[in-house]
Structure formats: structure tokens, C-alpha cells
Amino acid sequence: RVLTLAATNAGIPTDMERRIVQKLQDANVLRQISVVTQIDSKRTIPVENALPTTALTTETTSISASDPTFSAAIAVVPYKYATRVLMSQEFIEDAIGNGGPGSALDYVASKCALSIALAQESAYTIGTGSSQPQGITAATAGIAQGVDLGSGSALTTVTADNLIDAAYTPKPVYRNSPRYRWLISDAFLRTVRKVKNTVTTSGQLEYIWTPGTSTVNALVGGMPATIAGIPYSVGQYMPTTTANDAIYAVVGDFSYFEIFDRTGITSMLDPYSNAATHQTNLILYSRTDSHIMLPEAFAYIRG
């Protein structure tokens, strides 16, 4: 049966592949909040830098023609992320014999998918865009507006004013999007939770973050899991140190951060390469790229 699976290049059962794809999605926060597009090849995407011009006219007045300018182009190159696990023949036979969710093969494949998902999330977050995907915090052709805390400023220096200034830097057209949100680290979240204010009535320092309430000074207004009323997601690869003018937080319309998948996730069982030792290779790979499609839809807080 192992030979049949390898010969058809099916790798692992279809229902197991579906669970692996779901694992890839669930473990990667940027896949959850951004636009994910399937592509069939490498491609170049022209990007406009202006909208057509609209003018107020009167009856019979000639309407001037105008066109948006496509002066920029984004090259999408699917980069390959792969993982390989070597298993004994006895292990793979028992795993396939067991079958279904919870089998040993399912477990190993799931862990491989998790490894790929985390490697891709790292690239989607801090990738340079050179021989790898462009991360949301990439300096090259990246976000060019926001709050600069000053070179070398620590994440712990973030204030409530910084949060408000950053949140209202992108234009209203982007802030009105259902995908408008923060991407932050756990360390950033801890800092925000500790921001305090002097309450004049008592003279005591109090936290201005009050989750799930509508108090006057709360950074959360009416619902939990928001900062300045804006939802947030925590990414484990967001920078937390002062190196290289690190971007500590991004806020924006994630409709304009796009992930391009070439193959989704592909699996293969290879029982031949290590046949002399009765071992089988389980190989999983995924080809992907990511780009900031419109930098002005985002703002940063950086040190």
C-alpha cells in the first residue's frame, strides 16, 4: 500500500491533506487577517499610484479623459518552503493501517504543516522581499508613515498618544475597512496593558486599558480585544528589540497585504530513497510569496 501511495504521488490520504491545509491556515495569523490568492505561475502585477480624475460638470460640458497611472509593478515569485521527515517502514505501515484522525501519520504530517506555517509566518512578518517573501515590516518598499519613537527607543516607551497617532495616520477610506486592525507582539500587548494615567478624582495611577468596558479613559470601547477601538492580532515574529529601527506594531487595512500561494500544500511519500534501511520519507512543501500592495493603507510604531 505504501508503494501505491508513492506511485500515485498522493502522499497521504485526501481527508488528511484537508486537515493539514487547515492546520497551515490556523497556525499562521497573517493568513487569517490578509488576502490569500491562488496563482498559477510567476507574475507581475501593475499597481496604480492615482485614481481617475472626477470633475463637477454642467450640461453639455465636455468631460476630460483621465487615467490612473500604473508606474509600479509587483513581481510575485512563489518561494518554496519544504520539510522532510524520515520514518521507519514499520512506523509508516502502522500509521496507514490505523488511518483517520489521530493516526501516527496524521500526527507527523500535522507537525510538518505546523513547521511550514510558522516558517511562512516569519517571512510574512519580517521577510526582506529579496529571495524571500516581503514581510509586513519590510523596510524596502514598505510602510513609510506612522509614529517614530526615536532611534533606539525601547518598545516599553510606547504611550497612549502614540497608539492614537498611529491608528489615525491611514486615511479614513482604509480605516473604514473591516480588515483594519493592529498586528502586534505579546511584548507590545503587555506594554499597552500597563499604560497608566493619573485619575484626578483620586490622584492614583490607574490602568487606562479596561477590557470590555466603556469607561472614559479605556483604550477599549465597548468590546474586548481592541486597542483604541481597533481589533488586534498577535504575531509571534513581530520585532520586539531596538535593532535596525524595528517596527513594533503595524495598524492598517490588511486587504492591502496579499499572500500568493502557488501550490497550497503538497505531500509525497518516498519509500525508495532509503529502502535499504526500510525507511520512508514524508515530504511536504508549499510555494508562496507575500507583498504590501499599498503602503499608504498602513502605519507603524517603530523604535
Side-chain angles (χ1 to χ4, degrees), residues 277-295:
T277 55
H278 283 199
Q279 291 178 296
T280 297
N281 288 285
L282 172 62
I283 301 168
L284 273 76
Y285 72 88
S286 175
R287 297 173 62 200
T288 190
D289 197 5
S290 61
H291 287 276
I292 301 171
M293 306 302 287
L294 190 63

Side-chain angles (χ1 to χ4, degrees), residues 1 5 8-21 92 95-101 103 105-106 109 267-269 282:
R1 185 172 180 182
L5 285 171
T8 60
N9 203 34
I12 55 179
T14 302
D15 59 337
M16 195 181 297
E17 286 191 336
R18 284 196 293 266
R19 292 193 295 274
I20 290 171
V21 170
I92 200 70
I96 292 177
N98 188 23
S103 71
L105 181 58
D106 182 83
S267 66
M268 182 178 67
L269 281 173
L282 172 62

Side-chain angles (χ1 to χ4, degrees), residues 107 212 236 291:
Y107 177 81
Q236 62 179 303
H291 287 276

Side-chain angles (χ1 to χ4, degrees), residues 150-202:
S151 181
S153 296
L155 183 155
T156 52
T157 63
V158 171
T159 67
D161 287 353
N162 296 150
L163 298 171
I164 293 169
D165 288 342
Y168 290 93
T169 295
K171 297 175 182 177
V173 65
Y174 307 120
R175 301 202 307 269
N176 292 333
S177 168
R179 289 183 184 264
Y180 193 76
R181 65 191 305 112
W182 296 91
L183 180 65
I184 59 176
S185 65
D186 278 324
F188 190 93
L189 183 58
R190 286 194 296 270
T191 294
V192 174
R193 290 292 301 266
K194 294 175 183 177
V195 174
K196 301 179 182 69
N197 189 21
T198 302
V199 180
T200 56
T201 55
S202 63

